[in-house]
Amino acid sequence: MICSSPFLKLSPLAVAVRCGLGLSLAGLAPAAVAQSEDVADVDTQTMVVSATALKVETPVLETPRSTSVVTRGELDDHAVNKYDETFRYRSGVLSQPYGQDNKADWFFIRGFDANGSTYQDGLRQFREGGYFWWSTEPFGLESVELLKGPASILYGEAPPGGVINAVSKRPTDEQQSLIELQYGTNDHEQVGVDTSGPLTESGDVRYRVVGLFRSGDGEINDTDNERVYWAPSLAWDINDDTTITFLASYLKDHGTPTNGFRLPYGTVDDTPFGHVDPEDNLGEPDYERQEHEQWALGYELTHRLNDNWDLLQNLRYSQLDLLERDVYVSYMQDDRNAARGLTYRDGDYEAFTVDNRAIGRWYTDRTENTLLLGLDYQYLDINYDKYDFAGSIGPVDIFDPQHGNYVPADRNAGTEHEEGKEQVGVYAQNQLRLDDRWIFLAGVRHDRVDITNRQKGAGSQDSDASNTSFSAGVMYLGDYGISPYLSYSESFITNIGSDPDGNAYAPSEGEQWELGVKYAPDWLDGYMTAAVFDLKESDTLYTSGESSNRQGGERHSRGFELEGVGYLTDNLKLTAAYTYTDVRVDIGSESDLKDLRAGLVPRNQASVWMDYSFNGALHGLNVGGGVRYVGESVDSPQYSDTKVDNYTLVDAKVRYDITPNWTAQVNVNNLTDEDYVAGCDYWCYYGESRSVIGSLSYRF
């Protein structure tokens, strides 16, 4: 969709990235940032628009919030096969803080754990119950978009760091198909198929089918995983004003999980016996198991009511079944042997989410006003058996692990749990554009959440909570492509469970001030953004060393982010990012542990990636390379004063378009095979070793 923009003339890529950095969080803009051949046809007097941070089709330049996007092309360029690899070359995100883990994806955003931050097509992907985490397959995505900072105004309960939204591949107007083969280190094997196009001669019904099989070994000896993924979709233009898109997916993982838990002793700390080998398995691979199966079915409905109002609805039902058995090191018994514990989960969940929106637009000679009214509902019910006990498995020599010395879990010793949430939220947001120079934004939302927390034999800890969230922002659309802004936003999270004294947890609340500038000059085919922020969360949960977490601390994050993407020449593209994050924590409201540096999160991160496409005799050849720097971090202060050294990783890519249909590519991550510890949070985690992936794709 196109809208006029009289205040600035932009180059083609700047047009695309300023206003179309990502796809619709609500699924309204099914086209990704244009491919290079399509961008050339963009009228530079106009701007592509998409619904991103505001749930309304709005130029990204006119959004007083910090956002980032990774397009399908970038996912392919970096051979992203794991969701938490997505933002390695973007600011504000710490990717894979716990190293490579084949059980789950891990992000920290602006110094906050993003476990509850994941969305797909604008609807929440639940990650609850400790291990019941919805998995996202990158091959099935058109793009991944990040909104930084609190987002409860539009999405209800969410961590204060931000929201990550995955945009599914959708049916296309033109017939297109892809077959991709991959092979790499650790016996990585993958076959992907993606076909799409019209089903009727008029094109009013369109389809897409995405399928994948992947298998491979883990970073740790005797671990592995196989994945099957299938995602069909169907779009139907019911009439000129109404379109419905059905989206379904199925995913199954099974294998032996990687448990990267290591103690500081033998990783960051020296010992008389050297260091623990990163590849050694300290668990019990013949006993450990992960069986993860999930499926979802939903739709997106859009209807133009009249010239002023649009009605939209997103809906999804999902189910997840999980069996998880993990053995981990718990504490050192002597200089060589560590006690081990067991985590056991066997259960399932079902979830239902629906988001209803009405969008009204009015125009005068000086103003453009957009009003968003919304009502959403989220339901989650988890039932599972749980067995957790430190020291319940036999010890292991961490320098020479031998397997088989363990006692299997007694399933009768486990406990039955029922957990869940039911949330209803109503929200309103208004955007006012004045004189093509000023953007004013204000929003309010109220949520009611009922929490289920029951354990057989221990009674009920059911509770309820309500919260009202606010947001506001102002932006000035300046000359020369410089657009400064100031914004304020809030968040809240409901916490299932109770403290060691039996008191139910209260919601944790966050708030953020952000000052930034977005810059897309006419002399650069690209964009740059910069932002400073002050973000804090009250009533934070913190580990106390007791049977459960306590509440009452504060987590305070301040930082600066810089990000840019652009073509330095017609052939050379640069992506660069820098992040400074200083996170301080109070461990309890009455504790002496105040204003301490938070664990795991480095203060400094920087990255740069360059792509060069050759002309002439080497036409079709593209080479790329990048450097990722992650600064020093520390262990969480309630555990130790251990420091984790900084590390620098080098990545590389070579791609060759053999013909217009055939493409070959090789990607190498951690080219120098750097040994490093990704971070410590009581346990320490080795980072990913060198990986090489070769791919061959055929498009027709």
Side-chain angles (χ1 to χ4, degrees):
M1 184 175 179
I2 306 296
C3 69
S4 296
S5 180
F7 65 88
L8 190 61
K9 182 174 180 178
L10 302 176
S11 58
L13 178 62
V15 170
V17 296
R18 284 187 78 166
C19 303
L21 285 179
L23 304 185
S24 166
L25 281 179
L28 304 180
V33 175
Q35 302 293 328
S36 58
E37 61 268 24
D38 299 325
V39 171
D41 295 329
V42 175
D43 179 1
T44 58
Q45 297 290 345
T46 60
M47 283 188 159
V48 180
V49 298
S50 63
T52 56
L54 305 180
K55 273 193 180 178
V56 177
E57 293 178 322
T58 305
V60 171
L61 173 64
E62 300 176 10
T63 304
R65 294 292 302 273
S66 185
T67 62
S68 293
V69 69
V70 175
T71 65
R72 179 70 251 170
E74 290 179 279
L75 293 173
D76 291 335
D77 280 344
H78 296 284
V80 172
N81 287 321
K82 196 166 183 302
Y83 194 38
D84 55 10
E85 299 171 357
T86 302
F87 293 108
R88 285 175 168 177
Y89 286 91
R90 291 297 188 268
S91 65
V93 180
L94 176 63
S95 297
Q96 297 184 321
Y98 304 112
Q100 207 280 345
D101 183 355
N102 67 4
K103 302 186 300 299
D105 303 302
W106 301 96
F107 305 91
F108 272 63
I109 308 173
R110 290 188 168 176
F112 287 83
D113 194 332
N115 288 346
S117 298
T118 54
Y119 284 70
Q120 187 152 352
D121 303 319
L123 297 175
R124 185 174 181 183
Q125 296 176 313
F126 287 97
R127 296 187 171 193
E128 300 285 352
Y131 286 81
F132 292 85
W133 285 22
W134 191 265
S135 293
T136 304
E137 172 49 52
F139 187 74
L141 304 181
E142 200 63 63
S143 71
V144 185
E145 192 160 31
L146 168 66
L147 169 62
K148 303 173 190 175
S152 286
I153 174 60
L154 296 177
Y155 300 103
E157 62 164 340
V163 167
I164 301 170
N165 182 64
V167 181
S168 301
K169 289 180 176 178
R170 313 297 173 88
T172 58
D173 294 332
E174 302 295 331
Q175 181 66 42
Q176 63 179 44
S177 297
L178 166 70
I179 299 175
E180 182 182 71
L181 305 176
Q182 287 188 357
Y183 185 77
T185 51
N186 292 326
D187 288 332
H188 171 82
E189 297 176 338
Q190 177 173 308
V191 179
V193 178
D194 179 4
T195 182
S196 178
L199 281 175
T200 60
E201 188 173 329
S202 63
D204 60 340
V205 180
R206 302 168 299 281
Y207 80 97
R208 191 160 191 167
V209 177
V210 180
L212 174 137
F213 172 79
R214 177 190 300 129
S215 66
D217 296 334
E219 285 280 298
I220 297 173
N221 293 334
D222 302 316
T223 63
D224 61 85
N225 190 66
E226 287 188 355
R227 170 170 292 187
V228 176
Y229 174 77
W230 183 59
S233 57
L234 183 75
W236 176 26
D237 298 330
I238 301 173
N239 54 46
D240 291 342
D241 297 319
T242 308
T243 297
I244 188 169
T245 301
F246 296 97
L247 298 163
S249 67
Y250 171 83
L251 182 150
K252 183 175 182 179
D253 284 331
H254 68 96
T256 303
T258 57
N259 284 313
F261 299 96
R262 304 285 193 267
L263 298 169
Y265 181 83
T267 53
V268 293
D269 295 338
D270 293 330
T271 77
F273 311 101
H275 286 82
V276 175
D277 190 325
E279 296 182 359
D280 278 352
N281 192 323
L282 305 185
E284 290 295 337
D286 290 337
Y287 175 65
E288 295 174 274
R289 196 65 183 166
Q290 182 193 43
E291 299 287 344
H292 175 120
E293 187 174 22
Q294 63 182 47
W295 65 270
L297 177 64
Y299 66 79
E300 297 172 349
L301 177 67
T302 66
H303 175 69
R304 178 168 291 278
L305 189 63
N306 53 43
D307 291 341
N308 297 106
W309 286 95
D310 293 325
L311 303 178
L312 308 99
Q313 184 182 75
N314 289 22
L315 179 148
R316 182 166 64 226
Y317 175 81
S318 54
Q319 282 195 350
L320 184 151
D321 293 288
L322 177 71
L323 169 63
E324 188 82 33
R325 290 197 302 261
D326 297 318
V327 176
Y328 61 92
V329 295
S330 181
Y331 56 89
M332 294 301 300
Q333 294 180 325
D334 53 42
D335 287 347
R336 294 188 64 96
N337 295 290
R340 293 183 297 177
L342 171 68
T343 296
Y344 175 93
R345 298 287 189 279
D346 186 4
D348 58 73
Y349 83 51
E350 62 175 356
F352 177 79
T353 55
V354 60
D355 185 20
N356 306 282
R357 298 173 306 289
I359 301 173
R361 299 178 177 87
W362 298 271
Y363 306 90
T364 70
D365 291 340
R366 297 184 59 198
T367 66
E368 298 177 17
N369 196 81
T370 303
L371 176 65
L372 168 68
L373 302 175
L375 172 67
D376 63 19
Y377 173 77
Q378 302 178 26
Y379 170 82
L380 172 70
D381 181 48
I382 309 176
N383 293 274
Y384 63 94
D385 293 333
K386 172 183 177 181
Y387 182 93
D388 289 340
F389 189 70
S392 60
I393 299 291
V396 64
D397 184 338
I398 64 173
F399 301 102
D400 184 22
Q402 303 297 317
H403 302 132
N405 179 29
Y406 69 94
V407 178
D410 179 3
R411 294 190 59 177
N412 295 324
T415 56
E416 297 180 17
H417 288 253
E418 180 184 359
E419 298 175 357
K421 295 180 182 181
E422 188 173 19
Q423 175 180 319
V424 177
V426 58
Y427 56 92
Q429 176 184 267
N430 195 75
Q431 304 171 60
L432 174 64
R433 175 170 171 152
L434 177 64
D435 293 332
D436 285 331
R437 288 292 186 181
W438 291 95
I439 302 292
F440 299 95
L441 175 70
V444 61
R445 177 187 177 107
H446 183 76
D447 285 282
R448 170 78 180 187
V449 186
D450 292 320
I451 301 171
T452 301
N453 183 26
R454 300 169 185 170
Q455 178 179 332
K456 186 176 181 179
S460 170
Q461 288 284 341
D462 292 0
S463 62
D464 58 69
S466 61
N467 184 270
T468 301
S469 307
F470 297 92
S471 71
V474 59
M475 171 178 272
Y476 180 73
L477 307 178
D479 296 325
Y480 310 110
I482 301 174
S483 299
Y485 66 88
L486 175 67
S487 67
Y488 173 80
S489 55
E490 296 180 345
S491 68
F492 80 101
I493 306 174
T494 56
N495 300 296
I496 296 177
S498 58
D499 67 18
D501 299 325
N503 301 311
Y505 295 130
S508 302
E509 299 183 358
E511 62 175 5
Q512 173 186 271
W513 286 95
E514 178 176 314
L515 177 66
V517 61
K518 300 185 178 184
Y519 182 39
D522 55 6
W523 53 265
L524 175 68
D525 194 5
Y527 76 96
M528 289 174 279
T529 63
V532 294
F533 63 88
D534 189 294
L535 171 60
K536 65 175 62 176
E537 182 184 56
S538 59
D539 285 326
T540 297
L541 300 185
Y542 62 94
T543 302
S544 62
E546 300 171 89
S547 59
S548 60
N549 291 335
R550 288 195 175 273
Q551 186 174 36
E554 180 179 274
R555 190 176 182 95
H556 193 179
S557 176
R558 301 181 182 92
F560 169 73
E561 296 165 355
L562 184 65
E563 185 175 308
V565 177
Y567 280 94
L568 304 182
T569 71
D570 291 342
N571 303 84
L572 181 61
K573 181 182 178 182
L574 172 69
T575 302
Y578 170 73
T579 303
Y580 174 82
T581 312
D582 182 27
V583 185
R584 315 295 294 183
V585 293
D586 293 344
I587 309 299
S589 57
E590 299 179 359
S591 170
D592 293 332
L593 301 176
K594 299 286 188 180
D595 195 34
L596 303 174
R597 182 181 175 186
L600 210 62
V601 182
R603 286 199 175 101
N604 294 283
Q605 294 186 84
S607 64
V608 60
W609 176 273
M610 302 184 75
D611 266 300
Y612 186 80
S613 298
F614 288 85
N615 292 325
L618 295 177
H619 178 72
L621 177 64
N622 176 277
V623 297
V627 178
R628 294 178 277 137
Y629 170 81
V630 178
E632 176 192 273
S633 62
V634 298
D635 194 1
S636 294
Q638 66 268 37
Y639 300 133
S640 72
D641 58 358
T642 295
K643 291 186 178 181
V644 180
D645 290 339
N646 62 66
Y647 56 90
T648 301
L649 306 177
V650 179
D651 305 321
K653 176 204 72 174
V654 178
R655 185 182 71 236
Y656 183 64
D657 297 325
I658 304 169
T659 71
N661 302 100
W662 289 94
T663 298
Q665 182 171 311
V666 176
N667 288 81
V668 184
N669 291 327
N670 191 1
L671 180 66
T672 61
D673 202 18
E674 181 79 10
D675 288 329
Y676 64 99
V677 175
C680 292
D681 183 17
Y682 181 80
W683 289 283
C684 296
Y685 308 89
Y686 283 114
E688 185 179 11
S689 63
R690 178 169 54 213
S691 66
V692 181
I693 295 177
S695 62
L696 180 66
S697 60
Y698 177 64
R699 299 178 185 272
F700 58 100

